[in-house]
């Protein structure tokens, strides 16, 4: 069966992340992916979850507290600074990462992820990603500014050398209103 975008994003990560690993939610927003990753890595693993909006950090903290998940560091900073935070925590290898691009639902639609910071973060994470690990990007592009980011991310991903990375695009081509799609980058 064809999985919907969010289910397939989670399926890919669940297939490649091991319990006990350190993983990244680059855009925690309302915390759904953070909660998912927290469950996948288990008590012995750890999630670093980033967002530039205080309200996203607070919302995610609430969701984690309600579910008694304690294996997450919430980082109120841009994912473009991910390597600094990894160094501070002495993390030299990560098991996987997710990016959910666009704006925080039910919030200020002008605060969006941007191509430059997204690509900077992907680049930094790839350098510490485990072999066969995945970075999964859910690309929303229907909002203002979304197409610019989509082009930047696609251009970067398509140029990743084939000998070092497998890059997948997954999406539905008969849906209306700019449906989101997935870019998954697997380190070989
Ligand atoms: C589509 S939402 C994420 C949804 C989230 N994954 C969830 O499960 O609810 C995108 C989020 O990215 C955040 N964001 C935008 N630019 C960012 C950046 N440079 N670094 C980290 N987060 C950023 C926004 O504040 C917003 O909360």
């Amino acid at each position: 069966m064809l999985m919907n975008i969010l289910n397939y994003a989670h399926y890919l990560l669940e297939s490649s992340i091991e319990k006990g690993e350190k993983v990244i939610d680059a855009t925690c927003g309302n915390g759904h992916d953070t909660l998912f990753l927290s469950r996948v890595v288990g008590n012995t693993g750890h999630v670093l979850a980033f967002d530039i909006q205080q309200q996203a950090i607070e919302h995610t903290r609430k969701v984690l507290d309600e579910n008694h998940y304690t294996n997450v560091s919430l980082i109120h900073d841009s994912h473009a600074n991910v390597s600094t935070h990894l160094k501070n925590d002495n993390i030299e290898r990560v098991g996987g990462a997710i990016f959910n691009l666009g704006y925080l639902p039910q919030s200020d639609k002008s605060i969006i992820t941007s191509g430059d910071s997204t690509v900077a973060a992907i680049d930094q994470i790839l350098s510490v990603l485990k072999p066969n690990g995945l970075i999964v990007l859910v690309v929303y592009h229907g909002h203002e500014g979304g197409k610019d980011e989509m082009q930047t991310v696609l251009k970067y991903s398509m140029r990743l050398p084939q000998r070092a990375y497998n890059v997948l695009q997954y999406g539905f081509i008969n849906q209306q209103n700019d449906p989101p799609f997935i870019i998954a980058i697997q380190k070989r």
Side-chain angles (χ1 to χ4, degrees), residues 25-33 50-53 56 77-79 100-105 111-113 117:
D25 183 353
T27 55
C28 71
N30 285 324
H32 302 111
D33 295 325
F50 291 81
D51 208 291
I52 51 168
Q53 292 192 71
D77 193 6
S78 170
H79 44 227
N100 220 298
L101 304 181
Y103 60 88
L104 183 63
I111 305 176
I112 56 171
T113 50
S117 59

Side-chain angles (χ1 to χ4, degrees), residues 7-183:
N7 286 348
Y8 192 55
H10 285 189
Y11 165 79
L12 287 171
L13 288 168
E14 205 157 15
S15 309
S16 56
I17 292 171
E18 306 279 346
K19 287 240 176 298
E21 287 186 328
K22 297 176 170 75
V23 297
I24 295 168
D25 183 353
T27 55
C28 71
N30 285 324
H32 302 111
D33 295 325
T34 312
L35 201 63
F36 161 76
L37 288 175
S38 171
R39 184 175 58 72
V40 171
V41 295
N43 289 335
T44 55
H46 202 79
V47 184
L48 271 67
F50 291 81
D51 208 291
I52 51 168
Q53 292 192 71
Q54 184 63 33
Q55 79 174 98
I57 297 289
E58 279 166 17
H59 198 282
T60 302
R61 192 181 309 282
K62 187 163 168 278
V63 170
L64 291 167
D65 287 349
E66 281 166 6
N67 288 277
H68 309 291
Y69 284 1
T70 55
N71 59 350
V72 178
S73 299
L74 291 170
I75 301 170
H76 186 196
D77 193 6
S78 170
H79 44 227
N81 299 322
V82 60
S83 62
T84 305
H85 293 278
L86 291 171
K87 272 191 201 113
N88 288 346
D89 290 352
N90 291 320
I91 297 173
E92 291 174 355
R93 174 151 297 192
V94 300
I98 187 162
F99 289 71
N100 220 298
L101 304 181
Y103 60 88
L104 183 63
Q106 280 98 49
S107 181
D108 185 345
K109 290 188 182 173
S110 69
I111 305 176
I112 56 171
T113 50
S114 80
D116 288 348
S117 59
T118 299
V119 162
I122 299 171
D123 217 37
Q124 293 167 40
I125 296 169
L126 284 179
S127 68
V128 290
L129 187 64
K130 69 173 181 179
N132 291 323
L134 284 173
I135 298 179
V136 175
L137 298 113
V138 180
V139 184
Y140 290 87
H141 53 97
H143 57 283
E144 204 177 327
K147 293 278 181 285
D148 288 345
E149 180 176 34
M150 177 184 78
Q151 296 298 351
T152 304
V153 172
L154 275 175
K155 196 166 150 192
Y156 170 87
S157 310
M158 288 164 81
R159 285 184 180 166
L160 286 168
Q162 189 179 343
R163 66 187 144 67
Y165 302 101
N166 293 319
V167 184
L168 168 87
Q169 183 173 349
Y170 177 90
F172 295 90
I173 57 174
N174 67 333
Q175 291 181 350
Q176 294 175 353
N177 302 328
D178 301 311
F181 62 89
I182 285 173
I183 298 174

